[in-house]
Short mmCIF file of all heavy atoms in Angstrom, two decimals:
data_model
loop_
_atom_site.label_atom_id
_atom_site.label_comp_id
_atom_site.label_asym_id
_atom_site.label_seq_id
_atom_site.Cartn_x
_atom_site.Cartn_y
_atom_site.Cartn_z
N MET A 1040 -27.39 -16.11 33.56
CA MET A 1040 -26.47 -17.04 34.17
C MET A 1040 -26.46 -18.33 33.36
O MET A 1040 -27.50 -18.95 33.15
CB MET A 1040 -26.92 -17.31 35.61
CG MET A 1040 -26.04 -18.26 36.35
SD MET A 1040 -26.46 -18.24 38.09
CE MET A 1040 -26.82 -19.94 38.33
N PRO A 1041 -25.30 -18.78 32.90
CA PRO A 1041 -25.22 -20.00 32.11
C PRO A 1041 -25.56 -21.23 32.94
O PRO A 1041 -25.35 -21.26 34.15
CB PRO A 1041 -23.77 -20.04 31.65
CG PRO A 1041 -23.18 -18.72 31.98
CD PRO A 1041 -24.05 -18.08 32.98
N ALA A 1042 -26.06 -22.24 32.26
CA ALA A 1042 -26.40 -23.50 32.92
C ALA A 1042 -25.14 -24.21 33.41
O ALA A 1042 -24.08 -24.10 32.80
CB ALA A 1042 -27.16 -24.40 31.95
N ILE A 1043 -25.26 -24.95 34.50
CA ILE A 1043 -24.15 -25.73 35.04
C ILE A 1043 -23.94 -27.00 34.20
O ILE A 1043 -22.82 -27.44 34.01
CB ILE A 1043 -24.42 -26.10 36.51
CG1 ILE A 1043 -24.43 -24.83 37.36
CG2 ILE A 1043 -23.38 -27.08 37.04
CD1 ILE A 1043 -24.89 -25.04 38.79
N ALA A 1044 -25.02 -27.55 33.68
CA ALA A 1044 -24.95 -28.78 32.88
C ALA A 1044 -24.14 -28.54 31.61
O ALA A 1044 -24.07 -27.42 31.11
CB ALA A 1044 -26.36 -29.24 32.52
N THR A 1045 -23.57 -29.63 31.11
CA THR A 1045 -22.82 -29.52 29.85
C THR A 1045 -23.79 -29.34 28.69
O THR A 1045 -24.99 -29.65 28.80
CB THR A 1045 -21.99 -30.79 29.60
OG1 THR A 1045 -22.88 -31.89 29.37
CG2 THR A 1045 -21.04 -31.08 30.75
N LEU A 1046 -23.27 -28.88 27.57
CA LEU A 1046 -24.10 -28.72 26.39
C LEU A 1046 -24.69 -30.07 25.96
O LEU A 1046 -25.86 -30.15 25.56
CB LEU A 1046 -23.29 -28.10 25.25
CG LEU A 1046 -24.04 -27.83 23.95
CD1 LEU A 1046 -25.26 -26.93 24.20
CD2 LEU A 1046 -23.11 -27.21 22.92
N GLU A 1047 -23.91 -31.13 26.08
CA GLU A 1047 -24.40 -32.46 25.72
C GLU A 1047 -25.57 -32.88 26.61
O GLU A 1047 -26.55 -33.45 26.13
CB GLU A 1047 -23.26 -33.49 25.80
CG GLU A 1047 -22.19 -33.32 24.76
CD GLU A 1047 -21.21 -32.18 25.05
OE1 GLU A 1047 -21.08 -31.75 26.23
OE2 GLU A 1047 -20.61 -31.67 24.08
N GLU A 1048 -25.47 -32.59 27.91
CA GLU A 1048 -26.57 -32.93 28.83
C GLU A 1048 -27.81 -32.12 28.49
O GLU A 1048 -28.93 -32.66 28.50
CB GLU A 1048 -26.14 -32.66 30.28
CG GLU A 1048 -25.08 -33.62 30.79
CD GLU A 1048 -24.50 -33.21 32.13
OE1 GLU A 1048 -24.30 -31.99 32.36
OE2 GLU A 1048 -24.24 -34.10 32.94
N LEU A 1049 -27.63 -30.85 28.20
CA LEU A 1049 -28.77 -30.01 27.84
C LEU A 1049 -29.43 -30.49 26.55
O LEU A 1049 -30.66 -30.54 26.45
CB LEU A 1049 -28.33 -28.56 27.69
CG LEU A 1049 -27.86 -27.87 28.98
CD1 LEU A 1049 -27.21 -26.54 28.65
CD2 LEU A 1049 -29.01 -27.70 29.95
N LYS A 1050 -28.63 -30.89 25.58
CA LYS A 1050 -29.18 -31.40 24.32
C LYS A 1050 -29.93 -32.71 24.53
O LYS A 1050 -30.97 -32.94 23.92
CB LYS A 1050 -28.06 -31.58 23.29
CG LYS A 1050 -27.56 -30.28 22.72
CD LYS A 1050 -26.49 -30.51 21.66
CE LYS A 1050 -26.02 -29.21 21.04
NZ LYS A 1050 -25.01 -29.43 19.98
N ALA A 1051 -29.42 -33.57 25.42
CA ALA A 1051 -30.09 -34.83 25.71
C ALA A 1051 -31.46 -34.59 26.35
O ALA A 1051 -32.44 -35.24 26.00
CB ALA A 1051 -29.21 -35.70 26.62
N VAL A 1052 -31.52 -33.64 27.27
CA VAL A 1052 -32.79 -33.32 27.91
C VAL A 1052 -33.75 -32.70 26.89
O VAL A 1052 -34.95 -33.03 26.88
CB VAL A 1052 -32.58 -32.39 29.13
CG1 VAL A 1052 -33.90 -31.84 29.64
CG2 VAL A 1052 -31.87 -33.14 30.24
N ASP A 1053 -33.24 -31.85 26.03
CA ASP A 1053 -34.06 -31.25 24.99
C ASP A 1053 -34.67 -32.33 24.09
O ASP A 1053 -35.86 -32.30 23.79
CB ASP A 1053 -33.24 -30.26 24.16
CG ASP A 1053 -34.08 -29.51 23.15
OD1 ASP A 1053 -35.12 -28.93 23.56
OD2 ASP A 1053 -33.71 -29.51 21.96
N MET A 1054 -33.87 -33.31 23.73
CA MET A 1054 -34.36 -34.41 22.89
C MET A 1054 -35.41 -35.24 23.64
O MET A 1054 -36.42 -35.63 23.07
CB MET A 1054 -33.21 -35.30 22.43
CG MET A 1054 -32.28 -34.65 21.42
SD MET A 1054 -33.11 -34.21 19.87
CE MET A 1054 -33.45 -35.84 19.24
N ALA A 1055 -35.18 -35.49 24.93
CA ALA A 1055 -36.14 -36.25 25.73
C ALA A 1055 -37.46 -35.49 25.84
O ALA A 1055 -38.54 -36.09 25.76
CB ALA A 1055 -35.56 -36.55 27.11
N LEU A 1056 -37.39 -34.18 26.01
CA LEU A 1056 -38.61 -33.37 26.08
C LEU A 1056 -39.36 -33.40 24.75
O LEU A 1056 -40.59 -33.52 24.72
CB LEU A 1056 -38.28 -31.93 26.46
CG LEU A 1056 -37.89 -31.71 27.91
CD1 LEU A 1056 -37.34 -30.30 28.10
CD2 LEU A 1056 -39.07 -31.95 28.83
N ARG A 1057 -38.63 -33.31 23.64
CA ARG A 1057 -39.26 -33.39 22.32
C ARG A 1057 -39.96 -34.73 22.13
O ARG A 1057 -41.07 -34.79 21.58
CB ARG A 1057 -38.23 -33.16 21.22
CG ARG A 1057 -37.73 -31.74 21.15
CD ARG A 1057 -36.57 -31.64 20.16
NE ARG A 1057 -35.89 -30.39 20.26
CZ ARG A 1057 -35.95 -29.44 19.34
NH1 ARG A 1057 -36.65 -29.62 18.24
NH2 ARG A 1057 -35.29 -28.32 19.52
N LYS A 1058 -39.32 -35.81 22.58
CA LYS A 1058 -39.91 -37.14 22.47
C LYS A 1058 -41.18 -37.24 23.31
O LYS A 1058 -42.20 -37.76 22.86
CB LYS A 1058 -38.89 -38.20 22.91
CG LYS A 1058 -39.39 -39.60 22.74
CD LYS A 1058 -38.32 -40.62 23.12
CE LYS A 1058 -38.88 -42.03 22.97
NZ LYS A 1058 -37.92 -43.05 23.37
N LEU A 1059 -41.12 -36.73 24.55
CA LEU A 1059 -42.31 -36.73 25.40
C LEU A 1059 -43.46 -35.95 24.76
O LEU A 1059 -44.61 -36.39 24.78
CB LEU A 1059 -41.99 -36.11 26.77
CG LEU A 1059 -41.35 -37.01 27.80
CD1 LEU A 1059 -40.92 -36.20 29.01
CD2 LEU A 1059 -42.31 -38.12 28.22
N LYS A 1060 -43.13 -34.79 24.20
CA LYS A 1060 -44.15 -33.96 23.56
C LYS A 1060 -44.77 -34.68 22.37
O LYS A 1060 -45.98 -34.62 22.15
CB LYS A 1060 -43.56 -32.62 23.13
CG LYS A 1060 -44.59 -31.65 22.61
CD LYS A 1060 -43.97 -30.29 22.33
CE LYS A 1060 -45.04 -29.30 21.91
NZ LYS A 1060 -44.49 -27.96 21.71
N GLU A 1061 -43.94 -35.38 21.62
CA GLU A 1061 -44.42 -36.11 20.45
C GLU A 1061 -45.30 -37.30 20.85
O GLU A 1061 -46.33 -37.55 20.24
CB GLU A 1061 -43.22 -36.61 19.65
CG GLU A 1061 -43.57 -37.28 18.34
CD GLU A 1061 -42.32 -37.68 17.58
OE1 GLU A 1061 -41.53 -36.78 17.23
OE2 GLU A 1061 -42.13 -38.90 17.37
N GLU A 1062 -44.89 -38.01 21.91
CA GLU A 1062 -45.61 -39.20 22.35
C GLU A 1062 -46.87 -38.88 23.15
O GLU A 1062 -47.83 -39.65 23.13
CB GLU A 1062 -44.69 -40.10 23.17
CG GLU A 1062 -43.57 -40.71 22.36
CD GLU A 1062 -42.60 -41.52 23.20
OE1 GLU A 1062 -42.76 -41.58 24.45
OE2 GLU A 1062 -41.67 -42.10 22.61
N HIS A 1063 -46.86 -37.77 23.88
CA HIS A 1063 -47.97 -37.43 24.77
C HIS A 1063 -48.28 -35.93 24.67
O HIS A 1063 -48.11 -35.19 25.66
CB HIS A 1063 -47.62 -37.79 26.21
CG HIS A 1063 -47.14 -39.19 26.39
ND1 HIS A 1063 -47.99 -40.26 26.38
CD2 HIS A 1063 -45.88 -39.69 26.55
CE1 HIS A 1063 -47.28 -41.37 26.56
NE2 HIS A 1063 -46.01 -41.05 26.65
N PRO A 1064 -48.74 -35.46 23.51
CA PRO A 1064 -48.90 -34.01 23.33
C PRO A 1064 -49.87 -33.35 24.30
O PRO A 1064 -49.58 -32.26 24.80
CB PRO A 1064 -49.39 -33.88 21.89
CG PRO A 1064 -49.88 -35.23 21.50
CD PRO A 1064 -49.13 -36.22 22.34
N GLU A 1065 -50.97 -34.00 24.62
CA GLU A 1065 -51.94 -33.37 25.53
C GLU A 1065 -51.38 -33.27 26.95
O GLU A 1065 -51.47 -32.22 27.59
CB GLU A 1065 -53.25 -34.17 25.54
CG GLU A 1065 -54.34 -33.49 26.35
CD GLU A 1065 -55.65 -34.24 26.30
OE1 GLU A 1065 -55.87 -35.04 25.37
OE2 GLU A 1065 -56.47 -34.01 27.21
N ALA A 1066 -50.79 -34.36 27.44
CA ALA A 1066 -50.20 -34.34 28.78
C ALA A 1066 -49.05 -33.33 28.85
O ALA A 1066 -48.92 -32.60 29.83
CB ALA A 1066 -49.71 -35.73 29.17
N TYR A 1067 -48.25 -33.27 27.79
CA TYR A 1067 -47.12 -32.33 27.75
C TYR A 1067 -47.64 -30.90 27.84
O TYR A 1067 -47.11 -30.09 28.60
CB TYR A 1067 -46.33 -32.53 26.46
CG TYR A 1067 -45.05 -31.74 26.40
CD1 TYR A 1067 -43.85 -32.32 26.81
CD2 TYR A 1067 -45.03 -30.44 25.94
CE1 TYR A 1067 -42.66 -31.61 26.76
CE2 TYR A 1067 -43.85 -29.71 25.89
CZ TYR A 1067 -42.67 -30.30 26.30
OH TYR A 1067 -41.50 -29.58 26.25
N ASP A 1068 -48.68 -30.60 27.09
CA ASP A 1068 -49.26 -29.26 27.14
C ASP A 1068 -49.83 -28.94 28.52
O ASP A 1068 -49.68 -27.83 29.02
CB ASP A 1068 -50.35 -29.09 26.08
CG ASP A 1068 -49.79 -29.03 24.67
OD1 ASP A 1068 -48.58 -28.76 24.51
OD2 ASP A 1068 -50.57 -29.24 23.72
N ASN A 1069 -50.46 -29.94 29.15
CA ASN A 1069 -51.01 -29.74 30.50
C ASN A 1069 -49.89 -29.44 31.50
O ASN A 1069 -50.02 -28.53 32.33
CB ASN A 1069 -51.80 -30.96 30.95
CG ASN A 1069 -53.10 -31.11 30.22
OD1 ASN A 1069 -53.64 -30.17 29.62
ND2 ASN A 1069 -53.65 -32.31 30.21
N PHE A 1070 -48.81 -30.19 31.44
CA PHE A 1070 -47.69 -29.94 32.35
C PHE A 1070 -47.03 -28.60 32.06
O PHE A 1070 -46.67 -27.87 32.98
CB PHE A 1070 -46.65 -31.07 32.28
CG PHE A 1070 -46.93 -32.19 33.24
CD1 PHE A 1070 -47.40 -33.40 32.78
CD2 PHE A 1070 -46.72 -32.03 34.60
CE1 PHE A 1070 -47.68 -34.44 33.66
CE2 PHE A 1070 -46.97 -33.05 35.49
CZ PHE A 1070 -47.46 -34.27 35.02
N SER A 1071 -46.88 -28.27 30.79
CA SER A 1071 -46.28 -26.98 30.43
C SER A 1071 -47.09 -25.84 31.02
O SER A 1071 -46.55 -24.90 31.60
CB SER A 1071 -46.20 -26.82 28.91
OG SER A 1071 -45.31 -27.75 28.37
N ARG A 1072 -48.40 -25.93 30.89
CA ARG A 1072 -49.29 -24.90 31.43
C ARG A 1072 -49.20 -24.86 32.95
O ARG A 1072 -49.14 -23.80 33.56
CB ARG A 1072 -50.73 -25.18 30.99
CG ARG A 1072 -51.69 -24.05 31.26
CD ARG A 1072 -53.09 -24.27 30.68
NE ARG A 1072 -53.10 -24.85 29.34
CZ ARG A 1072 -53.43 -26.14 29.07
NH1 ARG A 1072 -53.76 -26.95 30.04
NH2 ARG A 1072 -53.42 -26.58 27.84
N PHE A 1073 -49.16 -26.05 33.58
CA PHE A 1073 -49.05 -26.14 35.03
C PHE A 1073 -47.78 -25.45 35.53
O PHE A 1073 -47.82 -24.65 36.47
CB PHE A 1073 -49.07 -27.61 35.46
CG PHE A 1073 -48.83 -27.80 36.93
CD1 PHE A 1073 -49.86 -27.66 37.84
CD2 PHE A 1073 -47.56 -28.12 37.40
CE1 PHE A 1073 -49.63 -27.83 39.20
CE2 PHE A 1073 -47.33 -28.29 38.75
CZ PHE A 1073 -48.37 -28.15 39.65
N PHE A 1074 -46.64 -25.76 34.90
CA PHE A 1074 -45.38 -25.14 35.31
C PHE A 1074 -45.41 -23.63 35.09
O PHE A 1074 -44.93 -22.86 35.92
CB PHE A 1074 -44.19 -25.75 34.57
CG PHE A 1074 -43.84 -27.13 35.05
CD1 PHE A 1074 -43.87 -28.21 34.18
CD2 PHE A 1074 -43.47 -27.36 36.36
CE1 PHE A 1074 -43.53 -29.49 34.61
CE2 PHE A 1074 -43.13 -28.62 36.81
CZ PHE A 1074 -43.17 -29.69 35.93
N ARG A 1075 -45.97 -23.20 33.98
CA ARG A 1075 -46.06 -21.76 33.68
C ARG A 1075 -46.94 -21.06 34.71
O ARG A 1075 -46.58 -20.00 35.23
CB ARG A 1075 -46.64 -21.58 32.27
CG ARG A 1075 -46.43 -20.22 31.68
CD ARG A 1075 -46.91 -20.12 30.23
NE ARG A 1075 -46.40 -21.18 29.37
CZ ARG A 1075 -47.16 -22.13 28.80
NH1 ARG A 1075 -48.46 -22.14 28.98
NH2 ARG A 1075 -46.63 -23.05 28.05
N ASP A 1076 -48.08 -21.68 35.04
CA ASP A 1076 -49.02 -21.06 35.98
C ASP A 1076 -48.49 -21.02 37.42
O ASP A 1076 -48.97 -20.24 38.23
CB ASP A 1076 -50.36 -21.81 35.97
CG ASP A 1076 -51.12 -21.64 34.66
OD1 ASP A 1076 -50.77 -20.75 33.86
OD2 ASP A 1076 -52.08 -22.42 34.43
N ASN A 1077 -47.55 -21.91 37.73
CA ASN A 1077 -47.03 -22.01 39.11
C ASN A 1077 -45.56 -21.64 39.19
O ASN A 1077 -44.85 -22.05 40.12
CB ASN A 1077 -47.25 -23.42 39.64
CG ASN A 1077 -48.72 -23.70 39.82
OD1 ASN A 1077 -49.34 -23.21 40.76
ND2 ASN A 1077 -49.30 -24.45 38.91
N ARG A 1078 -45.10 -20.84 38.27
CA ARG A 1078 -43.69 -20.44 38.20
C ARG A 1078 -43.20 -19.83 39.51
O ARG A 1078 -42.07 -20.05 39.92
CB ARG A 1078 -43.52 -19.45 37.05
CG ARG A 1078 -42.09 -19.12 36.73
CD ARG A 1078 -42.02 -18.27 35.50
NE ARG A 1078 -42.29 -19.11 34.33
CZ ARG A 1078 -42.41 -18.66 33.11
NH1 ARG A 1078 -42.30 -17.38 32.86
NH2 ARG A 1078 -42.64 -19.48 32.10
N LYS A 1079 -44.05 -19.07 40.21
CA LYS A 1079 -43.62 -18.39 41.44
C LYS A 1079 -43.26 -19.38 42.56
O LYS A 1079 -42.53 -19.03 43.47
CB LYS A 1079 -44.68 -17.41 41.93
CG LYS A 1079 -45.92 -18.07 42.48
CD LYS A 1079 -46.91 -17.05 43.02
CE LYS A 1079 -48.08 -17.77 43.66
NZ LYS A 1079 -48.94 -16.88 44.37
N ILE A 1080 -43.77 -20.60 42.49
CA ILE A 1080 -43.46 -21.63 43.49
C ILE A 1080 -42.01 -22.08 43.34
O ILE A 1080 -41.36 -22.45 44.32
CB ILE A 1080 -44.40 -22.84 43.34
CG1 ILE A 1080 -45.86 -22.43 43.46
CG2 ILE A 1080 -44.06 -23.94 44.34
CD1 ILE A 1080 -46.23 -21.76 44.76
N GLY A 1081 -41.51 -22.06 42.13
CA GLY A 1081 -40.15 -22.50 41.85
C GLY A 1081 -40.14 -23.90 41.28
O GLY A 1081 -40.75 -24.81 41.85
N TYR A 1082 -39.46 -24.04 40.16
CA TYR A 1082 -39.43 -25.34 39.49
C TYR A 1082 -38.83 -26.42 40.36
O TYR A 1082 -39.33 -27.55 40.41
CB TYR A 1082 -38.64 -25.24 38.17
CG TYR A 1082 -39.19 -24.22 37.22
CD1 TYR A 1082 -38.38 -23.22 36.70
CD2 TYR A 1082 -40.52 -24.24 36.83
CE1 TYR A 1082 -38.88 -22.28 35.83
CE2 TYR A 1082 -41.04 -23.31 35.96
CZ TYR A 1082 -40.21 -22.33 35.45
OH TYR A 1082 -40.72 -21.40 34.59
N LYS A 1083 -37.79 -26.10 41.09
CA LYS A 1083 -37.15 -27.11 41.95
C LYS A 1083 -38.11 -27.58 43.03
O LYS A 1083 -38.18 -28.78 43.33
CB LYS A 1083 -35.87 -26.56 42.59
CG LYS A 1083 -34.73 -26.44 41.62
CD LYS A 1083 -33.48 -25.93 42.35
CE LYS A 1083 -32.32 -25.79 41.38
NZ LYS A 1083 -31.10 -25.34 42.08
N ASN A 1084 -38.87 -26.67 43.62
CA ASN A 1084 -39.83 -27.05 44.66
C ASN A 1084 -40.93 -27.92 44.06
O ASN A 1084 -41.33 -28.92 44.67
CB ASN A 1084 -40.43 -25.83 45.32
CG ASN A 1084 -39.44 -25.09 46.19
OD1 ASN A 1084 -38.48 -25.68 46.68
ND2 ASN A 1084 -39.66 -23.81 46.38
N ILE A 1085 -41.42 -27.56 42.91
CA ILE A 1085 -42.48 -28.34 42.26
C ILE A 1085 -41.98 -29.75 41.97
O ILE A 1085 -42.67 -30.74 42.26
CB ILE A 1085 -42.97 -27.65 40.97
CG1 ILE A 1085 -43.70 -26.35 41.31
CG2 ILE A 1085 -43.87 -28.58 40.17
CD1 ILE A 1085 -44.02 -25.48 40.11
N ILE A 1086 -40.78 -29.86 41.40
CA ILE A 1086 -40.23 -31.17 41.07
C ILE A 1086 -39.99 -32.00 42.31
O ILE A 1086 -40.27 -33.21 42.34
CB ILE A 1086 -38.93 -31.03 40.23
CG1 ILE A 1086 -39.23 -30.37 38.89
CG2 ILE A 1086 -38.25 -32.38 40.05
CD1 ILE A 1086 -40.25 -31.10 38.03
N LYS A 1087 -39.48 -31.38 43.38
CA LYS A 1087 -39.26 -32.12 44.63
C LYS A 1087 -40.57 -32.69 45.16
O LYS A 1087 -40.60 -33.83 45.65
CB LYS A 1087 -38.60 -31.22 45.68
CG LYS A 1087 -37.14 -30.97 45.43
CD LYS A 1087 -36.57 -30.02 46.49
CE LYS A 1087 -35.11 -29.74 46.22
NZ LYS A 1087 -34.56 -28.80 47.24
N MET A 1088 -41.65 -31.94 45.06
CA MET A 1088 -42.95 -32.45 45.49
C MET A 1088 -43.43 -33.54 44.53
O MET A 1088 -43.95 -34.57 44.95
CB MET A 1088 -43.98 -31.32 45.57
CG MET A 1088 -43.77 -30.41 46.76
SD MET A 1088 -45.12 -29.22 47.03
CE MET A 1088 -44.82 -28.05 45.69
N MET A 1089 -43.22 -33.34 43.24
CA MET A 1089 -43.66 -34.28 42.22
C MET A 1089 -43.01 -35.65 42.39
O MET A 1089 -43.67 -36.68 42.23
CB MET A 1089 -43.34 -33.71 40.83
CG MET A 1089 -43.84 -34.51 39.69
SD MET A 1089 -43.44 -33.62 38.16
CE MET A 1089 -44.06 -34.76 36.97
N ILE A 1090 -41.71 -35.67 42.71
CA ILE A 1090 -41.02 -36.95 42.84
C ILE A 1090 -41.01 -37.48 44.28
O ILE A 1090 -40.36 -38.48 44.57
CB ILE A 1090 -39.59 -36.89 42.25
CG1 ILE A 1090 -38.71 -35.92 43.03
CG2 ILE A 1090 -39.63 -36.52 40.78
CD1 ILE A 1090 -37.26 -35.88 42.55
N GLY A 1091 -41.74 -36.82 45.15
CA GLY A 1091 -41.93 -37.31 46.51
C GLY A 1091 -40.78 -37.04 47.47
O GLY A 1091 -40.69 -37.67 48.51
N GLU A 1092 -39.92 -36.09 47.15
CA GLU A 1092 -38.81 -35.76 48.04
C GLU A 1092 -39.18 -34.81 49.15
O GLU A 1092 -38.44 -34.70 50.13
CB GLU A 1092 -37.65 -35.16 47.24
CG GLU A 1092 -36.89 -36.15 46.41
CD GLU A 1092 -35.66 -35.55 45.76
OE1 GLU A 1092 -35.42 -34.33 45.89
OE2 GLU A 1092 -34.94 -36.30 45.10
N THR A 1093 -40.30 -34.12 49.01
CA THR A 1093 -40.68 -33.15 50.04
C THR A 1093 -42.19 -32.95 50.02
O THR A 1093 -42.90 -33.51 49.19
CB THR A 1093 -39.94 -31.81 49.85
OG1 THR A 1093 -40.09 -31.03 51.04
CG2 THR A 1093 -40.44 -31.04 48.65
N THR A 1094 -42.65 -32.16 50.97
CA THR A 1094 -44.07 -31.79 51.07
C THR A 1094 -44.15 -30.28 51.21
O THR A 1094 -43.14 -29.63 51.54
CB THR A 1094 -44.70 -32.43 52.32
OG1 THR A 1094 -44.07 -31.89 53.48
CG2 THR A 1094 -44.58 -33.95 52.32
N PRO A 1095 -45.34 -29.72 51.03
CA PRO A 1095 -45.48 -28.27 51.25
C PRO A 1095 -45.05 -27.87 52.66
O PRO A 1095 -44.40 -26.84 52.86
CB PRO A 1095 -46.96 -28.01 51.02
CG PRO A 1095 -47.39 -29.09 50.08
CD PRO A 1095 -46.57 -30.29 50.49
N GLU A 1096 -45.39 -28.70 53.66
CA GLU A 1096 -45.04 -28.40 55.05
C GLU A 1096 -43.52 -28.37 55.23
O GLU A 1096 -42.99 -27.50 55.91
CB GLU A 1096 -45.68 -29.43 55.98
CG GLU A 1096 -47.19 -29.36 56.05
CD GLU A 1096 -47.90 -30.03 54.87
OE1 GLU A 1096 -47.26 -30.76 54.09
OE2 GLU A 1096 -49.11 -29.81 54.73
N LYS A 1097 -42.84 -29.34 54.64
CA LYS A 1097 -41.38 -29.39 54.77
C LYS A 1097 -40.74 -28.18 54.09
O LYS A 1097 -39.77 -27.61 54.59
CB LYS A 1097 -40.83 -30.67 54.18
CG LYS A 1097 -41.08 -31.89 55.04
CD LYS A 1097 -40.50 -33.13 54.37
CE LYS A 1097 -40.81 -34.38 55.20
NZ LYS A 1097 -40.33 -35.59 54.52
N LEU A 1098 -41.28 -27.79 52.94
CA LEU A 1098 -40.74 -26.63 52.24
C LEU A 1098 -40.89 -25.35 53.07
O LEU A 1098 -40.08 -24.44 52.97
CB LEU A 1098 -41.41 -26.45 50.88
CG LEU A 1098 -41.00 -27.46 49.80
CD1 LEU A 1098 -41.90 -27.35 48.59
CD2 LEU A 1098 -39.55 -27.26 49.41
N LYS A 1099 -41.93 -25.29 53.89
CA LYS A 1099 -42.15 -24.13 54.75
C LYS A 1099 -41.48 -24.30 56.12
O LYS A 1099 -41.64 -23.46 56.99
CB LYS A 1099 -43.65 -23.87 54.93
CG LYS A 1099 -44.35 -23.35 53.68
CD LYS A 1099 -43.73 -22.08 53.15
CE LYS A 1099 -44.00 -20.88 54.02
NZ LYS A 1099 -43.44 -19.64 53.50
N GLY A 1100 -40.75 -25.40 56.32
CA GLY A 1100 -40.05 -25.62 57.59
C GLY A 1100 -40.97 -26.04 58.72
O GLY A 1100 -40.66 -25.83 59.87
N MET A 1101 -42.10 -26.63 58.36
CA MET A 1101 -43.07 -27.04 59.38
C MET A 1101 -43.18 -28.56 59.52
O MET A 1101 -44.08 -29.04 60.18
CB MET A 1101 -44.46 -26.49 59.03
CG MET A 1101 -44.53 -25.01 58.96
SD MET A 1101 -46.20 -24.55 58.42
CE MET A 1101 -45.95 -22.85 58.03
N GLY A 1102 -42.32 -29.28 58.85
CA GLY A 1102 -42.48 -30.73 58.91
C GLY A 1102 -41.27 -31.51 58.97
O GLY A 1102 -40.22 -31.52 58.76
#
């Protein structure tokens, strides 16, 4: 399934990720491993928790 974002938006994010990796290689590797290890949770759910938009309880409909 193709991405909804434009090619320009995808390229901008790719460049931002490359910059983060260059500036913080250890932290970038740690996050990459974390996302890979928790793939079954879903990237959107992980990000929502990371930026404080939800909690595990809310994701399960308990909060």
Side-chain angles (χ1 to χ4, degrees):
M1040 180 168 123
I1043 295 171
T1045 67
L1046 182 56
E1047 291 77 22
E1048 291 170 321
L1049 293 169
K1050 286 182 178 182
V1052 169
D1053 185 52
M1054 290 298 292
L1056 287 169
R1057 290 172 192 251
K1058 184 177 178 183
L1059 277 172
K1060 187 174 185 177
E1061 185 177 298
E1062 293 176 358
H1063 309 283
E1065 186 177 340
Y1067 188 94
D1068 289 342
N1069 289 340
F1070 271 106
S1071 294
R1072 191 174 319 105
F1073 174 82
F1074 287 120
R1075 197 175 310 114
D1076 292 347
N1077 293 285
R1078 189 174 286 174
K1079 71 177 184 171
I1080 303 301
Y1082 302 125
K1083 286 182 181 182
N1084 290 335
I1085 292 171
I1086 296 302
K1087 285 178 182 179
M1088 287 189 286
M1089 185 177 178
I1090 64 176
E1092 286 186 357
T1093 194
T1094 64
E1096 293 80 12
K1097 286 180 183 176
L1098 287 170
K1099 290 303 289 181
M1101 299 176 193

